[in-house]
Amino acid sequence: MKPSWLAHCFLIIIGLMMVFQSAKGQTRELIACGHPYYPPVSWVQQEQLVGVAPAVVKLIFAELGYQVRLDTLGNWKRCLSEVKTGHADIVVAAYRIASREPDFDFSEQHIVDDPIGIYVNPNNSKIYHSLNDLKGKTVGLLFGDSFGDSLDKFIEEHNQVEYVSEGQQNLKKLAQGRIDFIPLGIVSGKLQTQKFGYTKQIIAAPFKLKTEYYYLALGSHSELSQHLPYINQRLNELHQSGKIQQLVTKYSKTYLESSTKANTP
């Protein structure tokens, strides 16, 4: 028996509601994480992920109709793993290196540039004039850290690595002479040494390395990759308008003004 006219209308209404709900599906909550010890790009403060990249991610995805929950998922390696396996949606900022390419879809436009420095203890009698002077030395890294393919390869081939989970641990070890150097972004390094009172014990070596870049990263399995053209467009606009540089200034100040205790999760 054919359905009545009323039943037919009811089915049409239900179908339209399903389509509408599907369109509204973009409002679902997304989970984002980031580096917990890399101001002003991102860091954990009072159990919240804050910084330039979290602010930019929330802004852009709000424009796309999403809510973003900024989670602190443990150390940096854990954050990358959670997005890689689909348990989280977004890495707010990460280097685009070869080993990550199969598992992440990166924005083409970077969020921030990151000139890399080598930080050493000036009380060490050894003076480092070039990267080659670091061969055979002990480097401190966080689990999951990368400083670009070329420096990663150099460290793998020439250095003994000591891993830690928290950024302040590396600074303390370097200040005490327990490791020989740490690679760190120039901007982040200045903020962290000032924050923890290590400006006399830790300085940047007098040679420059290449500039790396932080990009927004999505799990390669994610349907969010369809939004990358819009994300790239908006990141470019935010650079052109000076908004991102304003955020760098704002969050650098925020980091230095926050209490040391609150900065350590």
Side-chain angles (χ1 to χ4, degrees):
M1 182 175 66
K2 293 183 178 180
S4 66
W5 178 83
L6 185 61
H8 185 66
C9 288
F10 179 75
L11 291 173
I12 292 175
I13 292 172
I14 292 296
L16 289 173
M17 288 178 64
M18 291 177 66
V19 171
F20 179 70
Q21 288 294 334
S22 176
K24 283 186 68 181
Q26 287 188 340
T27 63
R28 73 176 178 88
E29 186 178 66
L30 303 176
I31 300 173
C33 61
H35 201 302
Y37 305 104
Y38 213 92
V41 178
S42 66
W43 77 97
V44 174
Q45 178 178 306
Q46 296 179 332
E47 299 183 357
Q48 298 291 321
L49 187 70
V50 297
V52 176
V56 168
V57 165
K58 289 200 75 170
L59 171 66
I60 292 177
F61 279 91
E63 294 171 353
L64 289 166
Y66 295 92
Q67 293 182 345
V68 176
R69 185 174 85 233
L70 297 167
D71 270 11
T72 56
L73 299 174
N75 62 36
W76 178 220
K77 185 176 182 179
R78 171 78 182 279
C79 168
L80 295 168
S81 176
E82 290 293 289
V83 176
K84 174 182 174 179
T85 57
H87 295 107
D89 302 290
I90 305 165
V91 180
V92 295
Y95 285 1
R96 187 172 185 169
I97 57 175
S99 61
R100 293 175 183 165
E101 290 282 2
D103 302 307
F104 297 93
D105 290 333
F106 292 89
S107 60
E108 292 293 333
Q109 176 65 57
H110 66 274
I111 297 178
V112 292
D113 59 322
D114 194 32
I116 301 301
I118 294 296
Y119 283 80
V120 298
N121 188 325
N123 298 318
N124 187 330
S125 59
K126 177 68 176 179
I127 298 176
Y128 303 108
H129 297 286
S130 71
L131 197 60
N132 284 332
D133 291 333
L134 298 173
K135 290 181 178 179
K137 302 301 180 181
T138 301
V139 57
L141 296 177
L142 293 178
F143 290 107
D145 257 352
S146 168
F147 291 94
D149 287 322
S150 59
L151 185 53
D152 290 349
K153 183 178 180 181
F154 178 91
I155 290 172
E156 181 182 357
E157 293 177 351
H158 300 293
N159 298 111
Q160 177 182 341
V161 180
E162 292 190 10
Y163 287 102
V164 297
S165 295
E166 299 181 6
Q168 190 179 356
Q169 290 175 286
N170 265 338
L171 295 174
K172 184 176 181 179
K173 289 170 71 174
L174 183 57
Q176 294 176 345
R178 293 160 53 196
I179 55 176
D180 296 305
F181 73 97
I182 55 175
L184 201 56
I186 295 294
V187 175
S188 190
K190 286 181 178 179
L191 288 173
Q192 292 187 53
T193 53
Q194 183 176 343
K195 173 79 169 183
F196 296 111
Y198 290 131
T199 53
K200 293 183 179 179
Q201 299 100 318
I202 299 174
I203 62 171
F207 60 89
K208 295 182 180 180
L209 299 176
K210 65 183 296 188
T211 295
E212 297 292 343
Y213 297 89
Y214 271 102
Y215 298 89
L216 189 151
L218 308 169
S220 58
H221 52 76
S222 174
E223 76 280 0
L224 296 174
S225 297
Q226 65 181 307
H227 298 306
L228 282 172
Y230 181 81
I231 291 169
N232 289 322
Q233 174 190 331
R234 289 296 288 126
L235 286 174
N236 182 61
E237 291 170 353
L238 291 171
H239 278 290
Q240 293 297 322
S241 68
K243 176 66 173 178
I244 287 182
Q245 184 54 51
Q246 291 173 12
L247 290 173
V248 169
T249 301
K250 171 185 174 180
Y251 283 105
S252 295
K253 182 178 180 182
T254 298
Y255 177 74
L256 292 176
E257 290 179 347
S258 63
S259 71
T260 300
K261 182 178 179 181
N263 187 60
T264 305

